[in-house]
């Protein structure tokens, strides 16, 4: 674990930077060496978690926690450039209108299900469905029919995304966007496990027990209203051997002037 002094704690997990508390710079997901010693840190958050549902999450604390327990197609590295996360290969054709993305075969949800292309299709259609009442449908605007679906003018099934089997995703854009891979790194584009969402219904993402995870950590101790929770290293995460931290304890601490 590499430490350097700083005014804020910058926790990098899979290349995603998360700010919180006062202390050190910690690289929790690094290829440099391994350690057998259990590593635990205590951090503060500026507010409680409001939601861990990618379609409904709106605040910075919820977003920072979601990026630690879930993962999407790409993550941003230290230079804010998109690098592969669940994606393994991206092919852009049709003058920039079509993205064909191959996915990892070894990613799993914490309920034991495999992470597949169908999880992305289900997640994005669900977010754009007016019934979900997501506040971030505008980030999908470059995908074919996204705006019309969000406006209730077309069905979610018409969205320009499809699963070619379990491990390939095809996305059709309404117009080419040079920075589209960077957009796809946003947590709103994370997949969700359909079985879990249907099991918990509107309660999905409202507590640790009613959420499933596919990222470096899993979350425990969050009831939906409390001010403390714990992230624990996810043993089923495909890159778990590169996650250096074993546990992160969070407590809400509001600074008052």
């Amino acid at each position: 674990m590499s430490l350097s002094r700083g005014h804020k704690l910058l926790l990098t997990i899979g290349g995603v930077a998360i700010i919180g508390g006062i202390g050190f710079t910690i690289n929790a997901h690094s290829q440099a060496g391994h350690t057998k010693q259990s590593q635990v840190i205590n951090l503060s958050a500026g507010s409680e978690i409001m939601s861990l549902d990618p379609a409904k999450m709106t605040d910075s604390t919820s977003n920072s926690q979601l990026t630690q327990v879930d993962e999407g197609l790409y993550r941003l590295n230290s230079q804010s450039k998109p690098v592969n996360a669940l994606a393994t290969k991206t092919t852009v054709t049709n003058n920039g209108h079509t993205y064909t993305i191959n996915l990892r075969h070894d990613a799993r949800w914490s309920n034991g299900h495999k992470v597949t292309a169908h999880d992305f299709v289900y997640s994005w259609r669900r977010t754009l469905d007016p019934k979900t009442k997501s506040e971030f449908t505008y980030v999908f605007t470059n995908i074919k029919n996204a705006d019309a679906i969000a406006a209730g003018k077309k069905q979610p099934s018409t969205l320009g995304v499809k699963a070619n089997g379990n491990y390939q995703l095809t996305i059709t854009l309404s117009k080419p966007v040079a920075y589209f891979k960077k957009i796809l790194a946003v947590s709103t584009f994370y997949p969700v496990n359909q079985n879990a969402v249907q099991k918990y219904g509107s309660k999905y993402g409202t507590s640790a027990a009613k959420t499933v995870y596919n990222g470096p950590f899993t979350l425990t101790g969050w009831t939906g209203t409390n001010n403390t929770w714990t992230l624990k290293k996810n043993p089923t995460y495909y890159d778990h051997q590169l996650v250096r931290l074993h546990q992160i304890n969070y407590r809400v601490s509001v600074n008052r002037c």
Side-chain angles (χ1 to χ4, degrees), residues 12-17 29 31 71-90 101-104 179-186 190 237-239:
T12 303
I13 301 174
V16 178
H29 191 170
Q31 296 183 8
E71 193 165 65
L73 294 167
Y74 310 101
R75 65 173 74 98
L76 300 182
N77 65 14
S78 58
Q79 286 78 46
S80 295
K81 294 182 179 180
V83 295
N84 287 342
L86 294 179
T88 61
K89 179 182 178 181
T90 302
I101 304 171
N102 292 345
L103 307 181
R104 303 185 65 97
Y179 51 87
F180 186 60
K181 287 176 67 174
K182 193 169 187 177
I183 294 175
L184 290 177
V186 174
Y190 284 1
Y237 179 56
Y238 64 87
D239 254 353

Side-chain angles (χ1 to χ4, degrees), residues 70 86 104-119 122 166-167 191-200 204 211-215 234 236-238:
D70 274 358
L86 294 179
R104 303 185 65 97
H105 290 212
D106 56 353
R108 289 185 176 275
W109 295 101
S110 54
N111 62 3
H113 295 178
K114 293 183 177 181
V115 180
T116 71
H118 302 286
D119 295 326
Y122 175 76
N166 286 335
Y167 301 109
V192 293
N193 180 257
Q194 184 172 353
N195 284 2
V197 173
Q198 292 177 339
K199 176 181 179 179
Y200 298 119
Y204 181 80
T211 311
V212 294
Y213 316 100
N214 73 347
N234 183 0
T236 63
Y237 179 56
Y238 64 87

Side-chain angles (χ1 to χ4, degrees), residues 6-57:
H7 296 293
K8 293 184 177 180
L9 186 144
L10 174 61
L11 176 60
T12 303
I13 301 174
V16 178
I18 301 150
I19 302 298
I22 303 294
F24 302 95
T25 299
I26 299 180
N27 186 351
H29 191 170
S30 170
Q31 296 183 8
H34 300 278
T35 179
K36 294 182 180 180
Q37 182 180 359
S38 178
Q39 300 191 48
V40 179
I41 60 173
N42 300 314
L43 299 181
S44 62
S47 62
E48 65 272 22
I49 301 173
M50 303 304 295
S51 176
L52 287 178
D53 184 338
K56 300 179 180 179
M57 173 272 305

Side-chain angles (χ1 to χ4, degrees), residues 73-221:
L73 294 167
Y74 310 101
R75 65 173 74 98
L76 300 182
N77 65 14
S78 58
Q79 286 78 46
S80 295
K81 294 182 179 180
V83 295
N84 287 342
L86 294 179
T88 61
K89 179 182 178 181
T90 302
T91 303
V92 183
T93 56
N94 192 21
N95 294 318
H97 285 82
T98 304
Y99 281 66
T100 303
I101 304 171
N102 292 345
L103 307 181
R104 303 185 65 97
H105 290 212
D106 56 353
R108 289 185 176 275
W109 295 101
S110 54
N111 62 3
H113 295 178
K114 293 183 177 181
V115 180
T116 71
H118 302 286
D119 295 326
F120 285 94
V121 174
Y122 175 76
S123 177
W124 299 0
R125 288 176 177 177
R126 174 175 174 265
T127 298
L128 285 166
D129 191 328
K131 295 178 182 178
T132 304
K133 299 180 180 179
S134 174
E135 295 184 26
F136 289 98
T137 57
Y138 63 88
V139 301
F140 291 85
T141 190
N142 296 301
I143 301 179
K144 183 179 178 180
N145 293 333
D147 290 341
I149 295 167
K153 297 178 180 179
K154 288 191 175 183
Q155 293 298 310
S157 59
T158 66
L159 183 65
V161 59
K162 67 176 182 177
N164 307 315
N166 286 335
Y167 301 109
Q168 189 178 79
L169 197 67
T170 297
I171 306 170
T172 303
L173 305 187
S174 54
K175 62 179 180 180
V177 184
Y179 51 87
F180 186 60
K181 287 176 67 174
K182 193 169 187 177
I183 294 175
L184 290 177
V186 174
S187 55
T188 306
F189 286 95
Y190 284 1
V192 293
N193 180 257
Q194 184 172 353
N195 284 2
V197 173
Q198 292 177 339
K199 176 181 179 179
Y200 298 119
S202 62
K203 297 295 184 180
Y204 181 80
T206 60
S207 70
K210 291 182 171 61
T211 311
V212 294
Y213 316 100
N214 73 347
F217 295 92
T218 60
L219 189 144
T220 63

